[in-house]
Amino acid sequence: MAFDKDAFLTALDSMTVLELNDLVKAIEEKFGVSAASMAAPAAGGAAGGAAAAAEEKTEFNVVLLEAGANKVGVIKAVREITGLGLKEAKDLVDGAPKNVKEAIAKADAEAAVKKLVEAGAKAELK
């Protein structure tokens, strides 16, 4: 007997959520498998894929590596990014390499690095 994949998918498409749940339970019992244990490999491949997904960074640090030639512009950018006063921002720029912002979202960190680079500094995300 040949398996008709299209007919099977059509049948699945017409089932309710409760019917699908019953089908999953029946498959688990029949073949001795668990849908929960199969979710991680299906989502990320082998165990390495699951580990990579678990290690995805959500918080970033903006690091000022070097002030560059336009130190005044960099100080202004640091003040704008951090809200520090003039003296504190100057001390931070003079003490490079230093963290400008810590544990911020990727989009905010990328915007901060872009501002620093546009001001003439060398900066990076960590």
Side-chain angles (χ1 to χ4, degrees), residues 2-72:
F3 177 72
D4 188 0
K5 180 174 57 172
D6 293 329
F8 180 72
L9 293 174
T10 303
L12 285 178
D13 194 35
S14 65
M15 296 175 88
T16 66
V17 174
L18 291 175
E19 292 170 332
L20 286 171
N21 187 36
D22 290 340
L23 176 64
V24 169
K25 287 180 183 178
I27 291 171
E28 287 175 343
E29 288 176 18
K30 170 81 175 167
F31 297 105
V33 295
S34 170
S37 67
M38 296 304 293
E55 292 178 17
E56 185 176 331
K57 288 183 72 172
T58 57
E59 294 182 341
F60 295 86
N61 295 339
V62 177
V63 181
L64 176 67
L65 299 174
E66 187 178 307
N70 186 10
K71 191 173 175 181
V72 173

Side-chain angles (χ1 to χ4, degrees), residues 100-120:
V100 176
K101 290 282 270 188
E102 296 179 345
I104 61 174
K106 185 174 184 177
D108 296 336
E110 287 173 343
V113 168
K114 184 179 176 188
K115 273 185 189 173
L116 290 168
V117 170
E118 287 174 352

Side-chain angles (χ1 to χ4, degrees), residues 62-107:
V62 177
V63 181
L64 176 67
L65 299 174
E66 187 178 307
N70 186 10
K71 191 173 175 181
V72 173
V74 174
I75 292 171
K76 287 180 182 180
V78 168
R79 288 187 69 198
E80 186 177 329
I81 293 166
T82 62
L84 292 174
L86 181 59
K87 181 179 180 347
E88 293 84 4
K90 181 183 180 303
D91 290 345
L92 190 146
V93 170
D94 287 340
K98 279 200 169 185
N99 287 349
V100 176
K101 290 282 270 188
E102 296 179 345
I104 61 174
K106 185 174 184 177

